Amino acid sequence: MAKASRVFQPTLFPTFSTLHKPRTLSNAPTIIHKKYPTIRCSVSTSDSAIREATSATQKVPWGCDIDSLENAAALQKWLSDSGLPPQKMAIEKVEVGERGLVALKNIRKGEKLLFVPPPLVITADSEWSCPEAGEVLKQYSVPDWPFLATYLISEASLNQSSRWSNYISALPRQPYSLLYWTRAELDRYLEASQIRKRAIERITNVVGTYNDLRLRIFSKNPDLFPEEIFNIETFKWSFGILFSRLVRLPSMDGRVALVPWADMLNHSCEVETFLDYDKSTKGVVFTTDRQYQPGEQVFISYGKKSNGELLLSYGFVPREGTNPNDSVELSLSLKKSDKCYKEKVEALQKHGLSISQCFPLRITGWPVELMAYAYLAVSPPSMSRQFEEMASAASNKTTAKKDVRYPEIEEQALQFILDSCESSISKYNKFSQASGSMDLDVTSPKQLNRRVFLKQLAVDLCNSERRILFRAQNVLRRRLRDIKSGELRALKIFNGFRNLFK
């Protein structure tokens, strides 16, 4: 189900709540966009607005079905006519993802492919078909993410009048993204996973960013940004495209960009090759780390991401056990009944941590910050002088010593983590048991297929995250048994000496 290439993607894109006031545009002509049926949009970032934004969505009037080869072929021809050199790959239907790039010839390990020239790459410096709209956004100092999202909508709305029409026509009409899950679907299918919370946060940011643009810019320039085109539905589409396809190119000063053709490459957990700008060939390329035979699908890496992160942006979950970078977020929380609750909260907040904190568990272990947080959570009042040290070690924002040890509370800290781990496992078990009886009886066959698809994604994510939790549970239980058996041995030795001297 992988959709496109990317090297970098922040957890949350930049939002802007305080924009610079614009200079007045003089003699700006009126731009009339093609009219589309009005799509109702939300007007706040309240919970009701978020629920509305995650309700059943109406498809945007551009793009194509996710597996369209006709549109992809038109894109390839346009790119070739526009300066893309001859390629050793072609777009075809593939097993991993609906569309992908497949080798036409033998490809060697270490070979450079693509060579997409800068004029065929979309960045914040790309020329607008409606230059007045771009000028307005620049005067408000709109950050790259919402700037590019607005640019994409503006170009898409112009259809064939935009130079990017062939590219936009080949983009999915509804990207695979948790942005397109309804709130009910998120609550139902992802209730056990922390990815649900991150999905809601991402939707909140999309809604908030759209509302900032709407209130501060669009409403003041309705001729340039008519609401029937620039609305929450089209922004969900454009941000869905950005989340799944935007890349950061280190050799172009870290510039973020959409790279047509390159974003047809699908992800594999088994490769470690990324896109970048090659100054010698003056094109966006990637270097293969394995050989490909004719007919084989060519892959790149979207980054070292967990299955949950891949689902969040791309809408797919790798097969269980195939992602070496998979992890699950374990939530730890201070107990309000703690006698030192106030002091511990203050120590955490001083280092940018909250009362409830999530830490990644991997199949290979967990970060030292998690153990430091557990030490703080179980530490007694007599260790109040160490609260500051523990909180500092629990934060990944400090360079303080991380691998702190407090043998006197080691057992309690491990038990605390184990309790949290088992609590999470019970949620996954509950979902797993319920998933077999979830009501999928809907009148529309197409909607039924969607529900089945989402449910399968949720089950796959549940199984992969629960697998890591089970591994952590076994490790924790073994360490606790070792501690207790060590204590018993020490007690036996002590009793033996005591009996010897009686």
Side-chain angles (χ1 to χ4, degrees):
M1 307 308 301
K3 297 269 79 66
S5 60
R6 65 189 282 276
V7 178
F8 167 85
Q9 175 187 307
T11 302
L12 294 174
F13 52 87
T15 57
F16 59 110
S17 56
T18 54
L19 297 172
H20 299 293
K21 292 183 178 179
R23 299 186 298 274
T24 303
L25 281 177
S26 59
N27 301 321
T30 299
I31 306 297
I32 304 299
H33 289 261
K34 182 177 179 179
K35 299 296 183 180
Y36 295 107
T38 301
I39 306 173
R40 187 176 59 180
C41 61
S42 58
V43 294
S44 73
T45 54
S46 64
D47 187 64
S48 61
I50 296 168
R51 287 183 182 277
E52 182 179 333
T54 54
S55 61
T57 57
Q58 179 176 334
K59 290 184 178 180
V60 296
W62 47 73
C64 66
D65 291 335
I66 204 77
D67 59 351
S68 171
L69 290 182
E70 181 181 353
N71 296 61
L75 168 65
Q76 186 172 355
K77 183 180 184 305
W78 171 72
L79 289 170
S80 298
D81 294 343
S82 302
L84 183 74
Q87 299 287 302
K88 286 190 173 183
M89 300 173 292
I91 299 175
E92 294 183 12
K93 287 190 176 182
V94 291
E95 292 183 1
V96 180
E98 279 78 6
R99 300 177 297 186
L101 295 186
V102 173
L104 296 175
K105 303 176 180 179
N106 287 317
I107 296 174
R108 304 184 309 274
K109 179 180 179 180
E111 188 171 349
K112 288 183 178 179
L113 299 175
L114 289 179
F115 304 101
V116 181
L120 295 179
V121 175
I122 297 176
T123 70
D125 293 331
S126 294
E127 183 179 352
W128 289 61
S129 297
C130 174
E132 293 78 15
E135 189 63 28
V136 168
L137 295 188
K138 290 177 183 177
Q139 290 177 3
Y140 276 89
S141 300
V142 176
D144 282 353
W145 276 73
F147 186 92
L148 286 170
T150 309
Y151 177 82
L152 203 56
I153 296 169
S154 179
E155 296 298 315
S157 69
L158 296 174
N159 293 324
Q160 299 301 317
S161 299
S162 169
R163 69 174 295 239
W164 301 107
S165 62
N166 285 286
Y167 173 59
I168 293 168
S169 295
L171 292 174
R173 186 174 290 114
Q174 183 168 310
Y176 282 134
S177 166
L178 292 186
L179 288 176
Y180 284 88
W181 290 41
T182 67
R183 181 59 183 268
E185 289 165 347
L186 291 171
D187 292 343
R188 187 179 196 185
Y189 297 130
L190 298 179
E191 65 172 323
S193 177
Q194 291 294 326
I195 289 299
R196 171 187 167 276
K197 179 181 178 182
R198 290 178 58 182
I200 294 172
E201 289 174 349
R202 180 166 290 187
I203 293 166
T204 303
N205 274 276
V206 170
V207 175
T209 299
Y210 163 71
N211 285 330
D212 270 340
L213 290 168
R214 178 173 177 266
L215 294 173
R216 297 173 184 269
I217 303 177
F218 298 165
S219 63
K220 297 176 181 177
N221 300 273
D223 293 332
L224 295 175
F225 305 103
E227 189 172 352
E228 59 265 31
I229 294 174
F230 297 88
N231 51 63
I232 190 61
E233 292 302 333
T234 57
F235 267 83
K236 282 170 63 179
W237 172 80
S238 62
F239 271 112
I241 296 297
L242 296 186
F243 278 125
S244 62
R245 294 171 181 262
L246 200 66
V247 299
R248 187 177 292 277
L249 303 172
S251 298
M252 288 185 73
D253 300 321
R255 180 171 298 178
V256 291
L258 289 169
V259 187
W261 183 250
D263 60 10
M264 293 293 173
L265 286 160
N266 287 320
H267 168 80
S268 171
C269 300
E270 299 175 357
V271 302
E272 295 184 1
T273 184
F274 305 94
L275 294 178
D276 197 7
Y277 178 69
D278 184 64
K279 295 180 180 178
S280 62
T281 59
K282 294 181 171 51
V284 176
V285 304
F286 76 97
T287 305
T288 59
D289 61 358
R290 52 154 291 187
Q291 294 179 341
Y292 291 97
Q293 302 296 323
E296 280 190 280
Q297 184 178 183
V298 181
F299 294 100
I300 65 168
S301 172
Y302 293 179
K304 296 181 178 180
K305 305 187 182 306
S306 69
N307 287 359
E309 290 171 320
L310 292 171
L311 174 60
L312 182 63
S313 292
Y314 304 104
F316 72 94
V317 177
R319 192 172 67 255
E320 185 180 353
T322 63
N323 183 3
N325 302 300
D326 196 15
S327 65
V328 58
E329 291 185 339
L330 181 67
S331 179
L332 301 181
S333 301
L334 294 181
K335 294 181 179 179
K336 291 188 177 181
S337 59
D338 193 314
K339 294 180 180 179
C340 300
Y341 180 78
K342 183 179 179 181
E343 293 84 349
K344 292 179 180 180
V345 170
E346 290 175 352
L348 288 171
Q349 291 178 341
K350 183 177 179 180
H351 293 280
L353 299 174
S354 60
I355 302 167
S356 295
Q357 196 70 33
C358 287
F359 297 91
L361 292 182
R362 298 186 183 277
I363 202 72
T364 54
W366 51 79
V368 292
E369 289 89 352
L370 180 148
M371 195 66 197
Y373 191 102
Y375 280 134
L376 178 64
V378 302
S379 55
S382 59
M383 298 183 71
S384 59
R385 292 184 179 181
Q386 282 80 43
F387 289 173
E388 177 73 20
E389 180 184 53
M390 295 174 186
S392 177
S395 173
N396 59 10
K397 299 177 182 178
T398 64
T399 56
K401 180 183 177 182
K402 298 290 185 182
D403 194 12
V404 293
R405 296 291 302 276
Y406 304 95
E408 64 272 34
I409 56 172
E410 181 94 4
E411 183 178 350
Q412 295 95 312
L414 291 174
Q415 186 63 54
F416 175 76
I417 299 172
L418 178 60
D419 291 342
S420 299
C421 189
E422 292 180 336
S423 176
S424 291
I425 289 174
S426 67
K427 294 178 182 177
Y428 284 96
N429 288 342
K430 181 181 177 182
F431 168 77
S432 183
Q433 292 167 3
S435 63
S437 59
M438 282 186 175
D439 181 18
L440 294 173
D441 183 19
V442 292
T443 55
S444 169
K446 193 169 185 179
Q447 185 68 6
L448 174 61
N449 291 337
R450 168 184 160 78
R451 295 275 180 87
V452 172
F453 176 64
L454 298 188
K455 178 183 171 182
Q456 187 59 55
L457 286 175
V459 169
D460 290 345
L461 181 65
C462 167
N463 290 338
S464 67
E465 293 188 337
R466 186 172 55 172
R467 172 174 174 263
I468 298 172
L469 288 168
F470 276 138
R471 168 68 177 169
Q473 180 189 52
N474 291 334
V475 171
L476 288 163
R477 285 177 174 175
R478 186 167 61 247
R479 288 179 63 176
L480 285 168
R481 282 197 302 268
D482 290 344
I483 289 174
K484 290 176 181 178
S485 62
E487 291 173 349
L488 287 174
R489 285 196 299 270
L491 182 60
K492 287 180 180 179
I493 294 172
F494 174 76
N495 288 335
F497 276 108
R498 189 173 61 178
N499 293 331
L500 181 65
F501 289 100
K502 275 187 179 180

